[in-house]
Amino acid sequence: MPSQSARPAFSASSVFSVFSRSRLAALAVVTACGAAGTVLAVTPAHADAVAIHDIQGSTRVSPLAGRAVTDVAGVVTGVRAYGSSKGFWFQDTRPDDDPATSEGVFVFTGSTPTVRAGDAVTVSGTVTEYVPGGAASGNQSLTEISRPAVTVVSSGHEIPVTRIDARSVPAAYAPQGDPAAQGSVDALPLRPRAYALDYYESLEGQNVRIGSSRVVTATDPYTELWVTVKPHENRTARGGTRYGSYDAQNTGRLQIQSLGATADFPAADVGDTLAGTTEGPLDFNQFGGYTLVARDLGTLEQGGLRRETTRRQKSAELAVATYNVENLDPSDDTFAAHASAIVDHLRSPDIVSLEEIQDNDGAEDSGTVASDVTVGKLIDAIVAAGGPRYAWRGIDPVDGQDGGEPGGNIRQVFLFNPERVSFTDRAGGDATTAVGVTRAAHGKAALTASPGRISPASDAWKNSRKPLAGEFTFRGRTVFVIANHFASKGGDQGLTSRYQPPARSSETQRHAQADEVNAFVKDVLKVQRDADVIALGDINDFEFSGTAQRLEAGGALWSAIKSLPKKERYTYDYQGNSQVLDQILVSPSIRRGPFAYDSVHLNSEFHDQISDHDPQVLRLRP
């Protein structure tokens, strides 16, 4: 399931309807709020004859918001005739000398516009500030002219254009918000030569052009992709752009959509090139912020990216993997593909922690919680793909208590190859009983229940997946494995938020979850200092995050992805940023080695992905 900014499944050609619904009704009041968006300050005062740069002003919010304007002149640069956000962009051909004031603006018509690109027009209407996603989203607002009266003066004019490239985009991303305004940047004067976010805002509504640019997020189901205009900015080994800290937002990223037919949009993978010229108005939307909506789209040149395959573990190596299979249920058609991923690309690990296994009837909210059909179907598919017949262990959750897709009852499940690994079964583990640690013979640690759930009654796990702990034996050595799926990033403000730095409200729960797991691992290590403990799964947070720091607190665990070169540290690709969400953390005895770690890139960089996460594999010698 998406870990950040989950979005509804609208068709690609109507993506703008997501944040434009109910706008016509909202335009009659000063401030109207809805789930789709917020329109601010739209009651007309008196009509002014002004230019577009007067409307846009030198801050993010128009100085004329709420006022009627008349006979605003410009040339049409793009027409959007689909979705519920129908309208057009037009641009003044006589710009002022202030780089902070945009010369373009969107005209919201609400119905199919009759103008064409190249038409010289005059527009009268009301200046509005529209917040895609609603005020609660924290998104910046989009300056528009609404309730327009449009006159076509002439046609066939040249369309003005501004080029965006590596030199024009500043290295710094965003200014600090005004503390007196709760961190908002709305009223701050734009500094387009200092900050990328200010630079893009200074071009809001203008016709812009990029040259050949590398794809850094593959085409998604909403007919959009991301490129970078800075080819050397934090480049990954496979052509993406790595997100390595909260201060490295990667300023060259730009979302690309198209004003053309959905069928003509390229199916691009990371490392491909959108070659030639891509040109169109610069918009701002709910799902990604600044977006070049292409009137002319470049040609896709494939980079030949291939899905990775890890090496097979040696006989004395234990291979442990984590794999988010994205809401897998028996009705899905991806079982064979997931089986191939596990057998052919992960080379049949000895233990696999699966995240997002749904119950036997998937998203149907029937009260069903068992997942034996889902898991059994995957195991059969793995056998059919030439892999081992895995055994499995899991604990069914309480209906509706673990979050995720309503009715789906997602949970973590262990697969293990019984020819190589044995599982220690201890009765007593269920959805609501907390697993503990006890001292066994010879001072060895043991779980009170195997499998068992860590602190399921804790508020840390409210509406979230509870960790699954299990005790395994490999070549006579006990290995404790904890399968995790922490709370998602849903609700966090985006990088293009009006609040800078953006608030990460979701991490509060992940911090509490990390504290719980860290405390449990410390309980194991108190009993047996040299115990082999692995905590793995979809952590939904970065290797440099506060969540990771809490998991690692006191040296109990260490995120093994940090053993990789920086260019290879990512498991997920979101809005042009290749980033870490999935992790395998190890106790000190494992960290001392030897071990080998691999992030197996077979999903996140591809337009035809079967999951949005890449699996991870750790090979160790217990």
Side-chain angles (χ1 to χ4, degrees), residues 39-400:
V39 180
L40 303 174
V42 297
T43 299
H46 63 278
D48 293 324
V50 296
I52 291 175
H53 49 252
D54 298 318
I55 294 171
Q56 287 283 10
S58 58
T59 66
R60 285 175 166 76
V61 176
S62 171
L64 302 178
R67 300 178 65 173
V69 292
T70 186
D71 295 332
V72 183
V75 172
V76 176
T77 61
V79 177
R80 186 161 62 213
Y82 55 82
S84 64
S85 188
K86 296 181 177 71
F88 64 90
W89 294 265
F90 76 128
Q91 185 167 332
D92 199 329
T93 57
R94 296 171 297 177
D96 65 6
D97 58 1
D98 187 350
T101 57
S102 174
E103 303 296 338
V105 72
F106 181 68
V107 179
F108 172 64
T109 61
S111 58
T112 302
T114 57
V115 298
R116 296 181 178 180
D119 286 351
V121 298
T122 59
V123 178
S124 300
T126 302
V127 178
T128 66
E129 288 290 337
Y130 178 70
V131 182
S137 69
N139 285 330
Q140 296 184 59
S141 61
L142 178 70
T143 304
E144 303 178 337
I145 299 176
S146 60
R147 290 190 291 183
V150 182
T151 300
V152 177
V153 178
S154 56
S155 300
H157 292 270
E158 183 177 354
I159 296 174
V161 64
T162 300
R163 183 177 179 87
I164 296 176
D165 57 25
R167 291 186 177 182
S168 67
V169 181
Y173 190 68
Q176 288 285 321
D178 182 359
Q182 298 178 321
S184 172
V185 296
D186 282 352
L188 299 181
L190 295 175
R191 299 173 60 191
R193 294 190 178 97
Y195 299 108
L197 217 58
D198 287 12
Y199 172 73
Y200 291 128
E201 175 64 21
S202 76
L203 300 176
E204 179 195 87
Q206 282 192 203
N207 186 60
V208 298
R209 175 187 296 167
I210 60 173
S212 295
S213 301
R214 191 176 75 253
V215 175
V216 290
T217 291
T219 302
D220 65 20
Y222 307 96
T223 319
E224 59 199 17
L225 56 81
W226 289 72
V227 300
T228 181
V229 299
K230 292 187 172 183
H232 304 297
E233 184 178 45
N234 295 320
R235 181 167 179 159
T236 70
R238 289 164 58 85
T241 299
R242 180 176 172 267
Y243 185 55
S245 79
Y246 292 125
D247 298 320
Q249 292 92 338
N250 294 314
T251 62
R253 300 172 300 113
L254 194 60
Q255 185 171 235
I256 307 294
Q257 295 176 342
S258 177
L259 290 171
T262 299
D264 296 332
F265 198 80
D269 297 328
V270 169
D272 291 350
T273 299
L274 197 58
T277 296
T278 295
E279 180 178 323
L282 188 66
D283 195 30
F284 185 91
N285 69 48
Q286 179 180 356
F287 302 113
Y290 295 103
T291 301
L292 196 165
V293 190
R295 187 183 61 256
D296 299 310
L297 194 61
T299 302
L300 185 69
E301 293 182 354
Q302 294 182 335
L305 194 70
R306 298 177 65 87
R307 286 176 164 83
E308 283 191 335
T309 298
T310 195
R311 71 167 174 84
R312 188 178 298 279
Q313 65 270 29
K314 298 175 182 178
S315 61
E317 289 180 315
L318 175 68
V320 183
T322 174
Y323 186 20
N324 183 321
V325 290
E326 196 174 1
N327 287 324
L328 189 66
D329 75 74
S331 68
D332 290 335
D333 60 1
T334 56
F335 281 90
H338 283 306
S340 176
I342 291 170
V343 175
D344 299 325
H345 295 277
L346 301 185
R347 307 302 293 270
S348 301
D350 301 308
I351 302 171
V352 184
S353 168
L354 298 173
E355 297 87 52
E356 295 199 19
I357 291 289
Q358 289 199 345
D359 62 35
N360 290 338
D361 59 10
E364 183 178 345
D365 196 1
S366 64
T368 299
V369 294
S371 63
D372 55 309
V373 175
T374 308
V375 179
K377 190 171 181 178
L378 178 59
I379 290 172
D380 288 344
I382 290 171
V383 173
R389 178 163 291 282
Y390 283 103
W392 71 283
R393 296 293 187 274
I395 293 177
D396 294 335
V398 176
D399 185 33

